[in-house]
Amino acid sequence: MELLKQRIRTDGTVKGTDVLKVDSFLNHQMDVELFAEIGKEFLRRFADCGVNKILTIEASGIGIACVTAQFFHCPVIFAKKSQSKNIDGAVYSTKVESFTHGRIYDVIVSKKFLGPEDKVLIIDDFLANGAALEGLIDLVHQSGAQLAGAGIVIEKAFQPGGDRLRAQGIRVESLARIKSMNEETGVEFVEE
Ligand code: 5GP
């Protein structure tokens, strides 16, 4: 998605060798007009999939998922990072290792909101090692819902998550795929 790549080139900053900061338009201050273009692009790619639920993970996926859901005319569920254990069985629960904080979280979704009748599109801001996405896929599988695929805003294609999930047959659509990045030279995108 050219508009997104342009924005990353002008406003993204590379930290070290593997962190891209895009907090001026994506995951702190949010450019909702850009989000609308992102949502339309996800709809274009997943239009014929019968999606009736969008699933994301708190916190930074929520804004993008909400704007995207307006184009799919469906609800958004965000998986919650929770301290509490699954005591009464009312939630689907999985563990996710956070890329940015290095911690392992329990992540939950209420059984009220996801079940075998659902066709789910997962939306997230970044795909790096794939832990967040794998956790969300695990929740979808536990619920018995069908998975349409995953829509990712920025994939760091030099990290292993995207390739591993595609090799498992998961449809992963990323709007900007980064081949490499560097504090001096910035970001290079995968040519597609
Ligand atoms: P993964 O689980 O694929 O390793 O990482 C995905 C999650 O880590 C995303 O939900 C995102 O919040 C965060 N993340 C991973 N890489 C980056 C990055 O380069 N920049 C930012 N801002 N967040 C990232």
Side-chain angles (χ1 to χ4, degrees):
M1 184 181 168
E2 204 43 52
L3 182 69
L4 173 65
K5 290 184 191 169
Q6 273 308 335
R7 193 60 181 273
I8 295 169
R9 282 191 197 99
T10 52
D11 292 343
T13 42
V14 178
K15 298 278 171 206
T17 54
D18 64 355
V19 173
L20 177 66
K21 290 204 73 152
V22 284
D23 53 7
S24 67
F25 63 96
L26 190 67
N27 51 23
H28 191 17
Q29 175 169 267
M30 297 184 283
D31 180 343
V32 293
E33 287 178 358
L34 176 66
F35 283 18
E37 296 308 314
I38 287 170
K40 283 182 214 165
E41 181 60 22
F42 284 138
L43 178 63
R44 193 181 68 76
R45 297 187 189 208
F46 290 98
D48 301 323
C49 298
V51 170
N52 75 329
K53 296 269 168 78
I54 287 178
L55 176 65
T56 189
I57 185 164
E58 67 175 347
S60 49
I62 296 175
I64 300 152
C66 286
V67 175
T68 300
Q70 289 193 298
F71 298 99
F72 282 84
H73 302 288
C74 74
V76 174
I77 306 158
F78 65 93
K80 295 190 174 195
K81 291 172 182 163
S82 156
Q83 310 293 356
S84 60
K85 292 268 172 317
N86 175 16
I87 306 160
D88 59 1
V91 295
Y92 308 113
S93 165
T94 194
K95 290 190 187 300
V96 170
E97 181 170 357
S98 153
F99 177 83
T100 31
H101 303 108
R103 276 195 310 233
I104 295 180
Y105 294 92
D106 284 305
V107 173
I108 60 164
V109 163
S110 169
K111 289 186 177 172
K112 276 189 291 194
F113 303 127
L114 211 54
E117 64 288 356
D118 291 319
K119 186 91 184 262
V120 179
L121 173 63
I122 295 173
I123 295 286
D124 206 2
D125 59 342
F126 271 92
L127 174 57
N129 293 325
L133 198 46
E134 271 170 350
L136 293 171
I137 292 167
D138 183 27
L139 295 173
V140 172
H141 287 159
Q142 287 178 40
S143 75
Q146 270 183 274
L147 180 65
I152 301 294
V153 181
I154 302 172
E155 176 180 342
K156 291 182 291 178
F158 57 89
Q159 293 179 304
D163 286 347
R164 191 175 64 249
L165 286 156
R166 290 187 186 96
Q168 290 167 21
I170 309 287
R171 181 171 173 201
V172 180
E173 295 278 346
S174 302
L175 305 188
R177 300 184 72 225
I178 296 174
K179 186 165 143 190
S180 62
M181 57 190 204
N182 177 299
E183 284 190 359
E184 276 81 52
T185 55
V187 166
E188 193 186 345
F189 293 100
V190 176
E191 298 208 14
E192 346 206 36

